[in-house]
Amino acid sequence: MKTDIEIAQGANMQHIRDIAAAAGIDEKNLEQYGNYKAKVDLRQMEQFKPNGHLVLVTAITPTPAGEGKTTTSIGLADGLHNIGKRVMVALREPSLGPVFGIKGGAAGGGYAQVVPMEDINLHFTGDFHAIGAANNLLAAMLDNHIFQGNELDIDRNNITWKRCVDMNDRQLRYIKDGLGGGKNGLPRDDGFDITVASEIMAVLCLANDLADLKRRLANIIVAYNIKGEPVTARMLKAEGALTALLKDAIRPNLVQTLEGTPALVHGGPFANIAHGCNSVIATKMALKLADYTVTEAGFGADLGAEKFLDIKCRAAGLKPNAVVVVATVRALKMHGGADKDELKTENMEALQKGLPNLLRHVSNITQVYGLPCVVAINRFRKDSDEEIACIERECQKLGVNVCTSTVWEFGGKGGKALAQEVVRLCEQENSFRYCYDIHESIEQKIHAIATKVYGGEGVDFTEEARAQLEKIEALGFGDLPVCMAKTQYSFSDDAKKLGAPEGFRITVRQLKVNAGAGFVVALTGNILTMPGLPKRPAAESIDVDQNGVITGLF
């Protein structure tokens, strides 16, 4: 079997003008970045076509065995294309840090990929660079304001804004800057986040248009003054310059799948500390252009789908028509206690012990959110028929069908059965609802997520978090949705509790307001906003020959 990059490099790509024309994009709204990728102007959304169907792809709780959520999303879109549907897929952009670290890229895999794969996984159209530049301009303006006299009385011990870089670099987590005295700045403790953790990334992905982007940027809280009052980007007069840096980045990127299905790849906030979805603009544009829009949310359904539904859909006025929950036999066996080295062997005991993880995610989608759902088993050759049958039996008890997906091996043809089930579900009426009412208190919202979605018994707050909660509500931010920051590896806030744990409580350590993005972040456990590289980073295997051909990129 060829590697992902070998498959992608052998693709017979269509010119991006032809992809745009097939998608119904006016050529005047297309700005090409070479022959195979382009930016789409926001004027393309100024049409009165009714929205198509919105399909969310999510997954079980992640394991080292992998689930293949992006691969399934792309393969489903190609499967819908195969059965004659007008379809687009809307995905997140990869971050350079994970690409060179351990996670890999976010362009799919096997014969279900978006291309040009190397460009998408590396610099692409420069969106992340623009976001990083805007983030760091705001940091520079903040420190310069303090250096030039601090007219706003900013408390130097209560600065919340960090610089960022799109790379896994643990050395930058905690630093001292402004050293050297004199005109070299004022010394203070500081640190870097990875670019996808920047609030500006979340702002870009939740903005509805350029004016909304500018408004949200202005609302970003960067520090507090000596009275404990918020200091915003608006007060630093920064929002105009920030918007200027992002005026091109806000436009969605058009590419294609290996089978020529149009794809919008745009934005990429972290799913464990932000909302983990591609941009609202890309999703809305796809809904206007296609009869079926396939999109995904990061990590498992407890993080990505919950935030897609409670934050993104609420902010953008979106209503999904169907949800796909991706699982693998291997991952379910890991949740049931099987060793990673023994996943290719049939193990019904481990599978049955791990199945409650899938069933809880499925039940959340159908019962908590009132949406129709299908389980997609990303099938491997060593998976036994009995293992697949076991999953089907248990899911059918919840009234949910199971489709095996072989898109990694066969592309769109391997996703036709899944596509047909998705079409069937989209024709059904649904009773979509949120997990909580937006006017409930922040504590009530967190409790609702922890009990209804995670399956926990309740929530505890540290003294620090309790004080922050009271301050946030006193400042008038109590009506914002909540963005839970917790481990992606468990329903609980303990990464070691696999499967579907019960009897646990969630501990909220800190709360912070992302006023620009429009949500309150509740931090549980130890969530890193600047990852590090593993002992043998993927970067060691990447090379390029004298003809510019890249190797080792998956």
Side-chain angles (χ1 to χ4, degrees):
M1 183 70 180
K2 295 180 180 178
T3 64
D4 289 350
I5 193 169
E6 288 171 340
I7 293 170
Q9 288 171 341
N12 184 20
M13 289 186 285
Q14 301 176 43
H15 198 287
I16 200 64
R17 287 195 306 266
D18 297 330
I19 296 294
I25 297 171
D26 195 315
E27 191 170 345
K28 70 181 181 183
N29 293 330
L30 201 69
E31 182 179 352
Q32 295 180 47
Y33 281 59
N35 294 332
Y36 305 113
K37 54 185 187 286
K39 285 279 186 184
V40 183
D41 195 274
L42 303 191
R43 290 175 298 178
Q44 184 62 46
M45 298 173 70
E46 298 171 0
Q47 52 184 314
F48 298 101
K49 177 186 175 296
N51 284 349
H53 298 97
L54 179 58
V55 181
L56 171 65
V57 179
T58 184
I60 62 170
T61 304
T63 70
E67 287 70 52
K69 184 163 68 304
T70 304
T71 300
T72 302
S73 299
I74 296 165
L76 170 59
D78 283 338
L80 286 163
H81 195 191
N82 263 251
I83 62 174
K85 302 300 181 183
R86 189 176 180 86
V87 58
M88 293 190 78
V89 59
L91 303 171
R92 295 175 295 164
E93 298 178 51
S95 168
L96 282 179
V99 167
F100 292 119
I102 193 171
K103 180 179 179 293
Y111 287 92
Q113 296 188 57
V114 282
V115 286
M117 181 263 242
E118 304 103 300
D119 292 5
I120 294 168
N121 277 311
L122 298 177
H123 301 290
F124 204 14
T125 58
D127 292 347
F128 283 23
H129 301 299
I131 291 165
N135 182 101
N136 295 337
L137 170 62
L138 183 54
M141 292 181 72
L142 169 64
D143 281 317
N144 183 63
H145 178 90
I146 296 171
F147 179 81
Q148 300 293 351
N150 198 7
E151 182 180 340
L152 295 172
D153 288 329
I154 294 170
D155 181 354
R156 289 170 57 195
N157 294 316
N158 205 353
I159 292 173
T160 58
W161 195 252
K162 293 183 179 182
R163 287 163 173 82
C164 73
V165 62
D166 191 23
M167 194 57 60
N168 290 6
D169 193 347
R170 64 174 57 83
Q171 196 73 13
L172 296 177
R173 287 176 189 162
Y174 302 99
I175 64 172
K176 289 185 179 292
D177 55 19
L179 304 179
K183 297 181 178 180
N184 295 310
L186 299 172
R188 69 178 178 89
D189 292 330
D190 204 351
F192 274 72
D193 290 333
I194 192 168
T195 299
V196 288
S198 168
E199 186 180 350
I200 291 182
M201 174 66 83
V203 163
L204 182 97
C205 288
L206 286 170
N208 283 288
D209 52 36
L210 199 62
D212 189 32
L213 174 68
K214 185 176 180 179
R215 178 189 66 81
R216 288 173 177 273
L217 291 168
N219 289 340
I220 291 174
I221 296 173
V222 296
Y224 292 85
N225 64 20
I226 56 175
K227 295 180 180 179
E229 300 164 334
V231 176
T232 65
R234 180 184 289 107
M235 296 165 72
L236 293 172
K237 301 177 181 178
E239 70 268 28
L242 301 182
T243 308
L245 283 171
L246 298 170
K247 71 176 183 66
D248 293 325
I250 195 175
R251 295 181 295 162
N253 307 296
L254 178 69
V255 289
Q256 62 190 288
T257 71
L258 289 172
E259 298 183 14
T261 301
L264 292 175
V265 180
H266 192 220
F270 261 17
N272 52 358
I273 63 160
H275 64 292
C277 310
N278 68 278
S279 74
V280 163
I281 289 174
T283 302
K284 285 187 169 182
M285 185 177 288
L287 285 169
K288 288 294 183 185
L289 291 166
D291 294 329
Y292 293 85
T293 293
V294 179
T295 191
E296 68 168 347
F299 293 134
D302 58 318
L303 284 173
E306 185 273 313
K307 295 171 184 179
F308 178 91
L309 299 168
D310 284 320
I311 297 177
K312 179 175 177 175
C313 287
R314 198 190 305 258
L318 299 173
K319 180 181 178 180
N321 298 97
V323 177
V324 178
V325 178
V326 180
T328 63
V329 171
R330 296 180 179 192
L332 290 173
K333 288 191 289 192
M334 284 203 75
H335 276 292
D339 188 89
K340 185 180 178 181
D341 296 328
E342 299 175 355
L343 299 178
K344 295 180 180 180
T345 304
E346 183 181 281
N347 187 337
M348 297 303 298
E349 182 181 358
L351 177 64
Q352 288 168 343
K353 287 182 179 179
L355 262 171
N357 183 271
L358 169 62
L359 299 177
R360 182 177 292 177
H361 286 299
V362 169
S363 180
N364 286 342
I365 296 300
T366 59
Q367 301 303 310
V368 176
Y369 294 103
L371 290 168
C373 174
V374 56
V375 171
I377 299 298
N378 184 15
R379 185 162 189 175
F380 291 76
R381 291 182 179 180
K382 294 289 186 179
D383 297 343
S384 75
D385 291 341
E386 179 55 31
E387 288 173 324
I388 299 295
C390 176
I391 298 172
E392 291 175 343
R393 287 193 299 270
E394 293 304 312
C395 288
Q396 285 170 358
K397 292 177 183 178
L398 298 178
V400 171
N401 289 332
V402 173
C403 292
T404 55
S405 170
T406 54
V407 298
W408 183 86
E409 188 172 4
F410 300 111
K413 291 182 180 179
K416 288 175 69 174
L418 177 60
Q420 290 164 344
E421 175 66 2
V422 164
V423 169
R424 187 186 73 82
L425 293 177
C426 284
E427 298 303 321
Q428 298 180 5
E429 289 292 325
N430 70 61
S431 54
F432 172 54
R433 53 189 173 269
Y434 304 117
C435 174
Y436 53 80
D437 186 284
I438 196 65
H439 299 301
E440 292 178 338
S441 70
I442 293 172
E443 184 171 357
Q444 288 173 321
K445 294 168 191 171
I446 295 173
H447 179 83
I449 296 170
T451 55
K452 291 182 183 180
V453 178
Y454 301 164
E457 290 188 344
V459 182
D460 299 315
F461 292 81
T462 64
E463 289 186 16
E464 180 183 10
R466 180 66 65 182
Q468 291 166 337
L469 174 63
E470 293 173 359
K471 181 176 181 179
I472 287 168
E473 292 190 326
L475 289 171
F477 296 112
D479 278 350
L480 293 180
V482 170
C483 182
M484 296 294 291
K486 76 169 185 70
T487 177
Q488 64 267 37
Y489 298 116
S490 174
F491 275 109
S492 73
D493 53 7
D494 181 353
K496 296 179 181 179
K497 291 181 178 178
L498 303 182
E502 296 178 342
F504 64 89
R505 297 181 66 84
I506 296 290
T507 299
V508 176
R509 296 187 301 104
Q510 290 181 308
L511 289 160
K512 61 174 290 192
V513 179
N514 280 7
F519 52 67
V520 173
V521 180
L523 291 106
T524 72
N526 184 25
I527 305 297
L528 292 175
T529 55
M530 170 53 79
L533 291 172
K535 186 173 183 178
R536 292 182 177 82
E540 292 181 2
S541 301
I542 298 172
D543 202 358
V544 59
D545 67 17
Q546 62 184 6
N547 298 313
V549 177
I550 297 174
T551 56
L553 194 65
F554 325 119

